[in-house]
Amino acid sequence: GENVEQHPSTLSVQEGDSAVIKCTYSDSASNYFPWYKQELGKRPQLIIDIRSNVGEKKDQRIAVTLNKTAKHFSLHITETQPEDSAVYFCAASDGGSQGNLIFGKGTKLSVKP
Amino acid sequence: SQTIHQWPATLVQPVGSPLSLECTVEGTSNPNLYWYRQAAGRGLQLLFYSVGIGQISSEVPQNLSASRPQDRQFILSSKKLLLSDSGFYLCAWGDRVDEQYFGPGTRLTVT
C-alpha cells in the first residue's frame, strides 16, 4: 500500500524567510497530493493541492511542486509570517477506487518574529 | 456551500463506558465520509470510511464501530472505551474521489 514520508518533523524559520517541506510517496498510482495546515487545537484545513498532470501550483505565498518520476512533492511558503506557524500535513491518494488519503506524520513550523 | 458539524466538541468518559460521536454534512449529497483519530501531537489515523448509506469500511482493528444511517450522517461508536481511545476525533467529507474536508473535531478524554 501507499506510504508517505514527510520531512522535516520540525522547522523553525525567521519571519520573512522561506520554508520548504518535502514528502515522498511510494505508490505510482497516486494522482492527488493535498497539503493541510493544522493550528493548535483546530481541524486540518486544506490549503493547496496538486494533481499528477501538473508540475507546480501557486496560490499567493504558497506553492506546491510535484516530481512524479522521483515520487516526491514539496510545499513552499515564501515571506513567512508568524501566523504561518502550525503543523503541516502532506497526503497522497492511495490510488484505489475509494480515493482514500495517506497522510505524512506532519511538520511543525515555527516562524519567529 | 457545504458545512460539516461534529458533536460533542469535547467529552470526558470513564473507561468501560459507551461512546457515540456524530457527524453531519450539509449542502451536498452522497458524500464520502471518513473518521480519523489524532493522538496528542501525532498524525492522522484513518479509522473508517463510507461511500454510501450502510457501507462502512474499517481500516484498523479496534473496539470502535461506525454507522451511516442517513446519507449525510456518520456515527462513531464504542460499547466499552479504553484509555487508548483518548484523542482528537475528526470527521471528514468529500464529494470527489479524493478531496477531503475536515469537521471541527471532538476531543475525547478517557479517564
Side-chain angles (χ1 to χ4, degrees):
Chain A
E2 176 68 283
N3 183 50
V4 176
E5 299 283 342
Q6 183 172 348
H7 299 281
S9 57
T10 60
L11 180 60
S12 181
V13 299
Q14 287 295 132
E15 182 177 0
D17 288 349
S18 295
V20 180
I21 303 170
K22 298 180 180 180
C23 289
T24 60
Y25 62 99
S26 60
D27 190 345
S28 57
S30 295
N31 57 13
Y32 175 66
F33 307 92
W35 286 88
Y36 290 84
K37 174 185 180 182
Q38 187 177 29
E39 297 177 352
L40 189 62
K42 298 190 176 180
R43 77 183 88 181
Q45 298 268 21
L46 178 64
I47 55 172
I48 195 167
D49 56 15
I50 192 167
R51 297 190 182 273
S52 58
N53 58 346
V54 175
E56 184 176 3
K57 185 176 180 181
K58 287 184 178 181
D59 183 3
Q60 300 183 338
R61 294 186 298 108
I62 60 173
V64 57
T65 58
L66 172 65
N67 183 326
K68 285 207 69 180
T69 303
K71 294 183 189 169
H72 66 72
F73 56 111
S74 300
L75 177 71
H76 304 255
I77 306 174
T78 58
E79 301 174 19
T80 54
Q81 301 168 3
E83 52 265 38
D84 294 328
S85 296
V87 178
Y88 291 81
F89 291 96
C90 66
S93 58
D94 68 358
S97 61
Q98 307 302 334
N100 291 344
L101 295 176
I102 308 301
F103 285 85
K105 293 187 176 181
T107 296
K108 184 175 182 181
L109 173 64
S110 299
V111 180
K112 298 180 179 179
Chain B
S1 64
Q2 299 83 6
T3 308
I4 181 168
H5 303 278
Q6 284 186 248
W7 63 89
T10 60
L11 191 59
V12 180
Q13 293 283 93
V15 169
S17 63
L19 173 73
S20 181
L21 303 182
E22 189 165 345
C23 170
T24 59
V25 182
E26 297 176 355
T28 187
S29 59
N30 197 32
N32 289 345
L33 295 173
Y34 308 84
W35 278 114
Y36 289 87
R37 177 170 58 202
Q38 187 175 35
R42 304 293 293 274
L44 296 159
Q45 180 187 31
L46 178 63
L47 302 175
F48 301 95
Y49 65 91
S50 171
V51 299
I53 295 175
Q55 300 179 60
I56 308 295
S57 297
S58 173
E59 285 295 296
V60 293
Q62 58 211 321
N63 69 323
L64 300 172
S65 62
S67 62
R68 185 170 178 174
Q70 300 180 43
D71 181 43
R72 290 168 289 176
Q73 183 186 31
F74 206 21
I75 296 172
L76 183 69
S77 304
S78 174
K79 292 182 179 178
K80 289 186 178 182
L81 284 169
L82 306 173
L83 283 174
S84 58
D85 291 324
S86 293
F88 192 37
Y89 286 82
L90 291 155
C91 179
W93 73 273
D95 60 6
R96 295 187 57 167
V97 174
D98 40 33
E99 294 176 9
Q100 294 184 25
Y101 301 92
F102 288 90
T106 295
R107 194 163 304 280
L108 171 66
T109 303
V110 182
T111 60

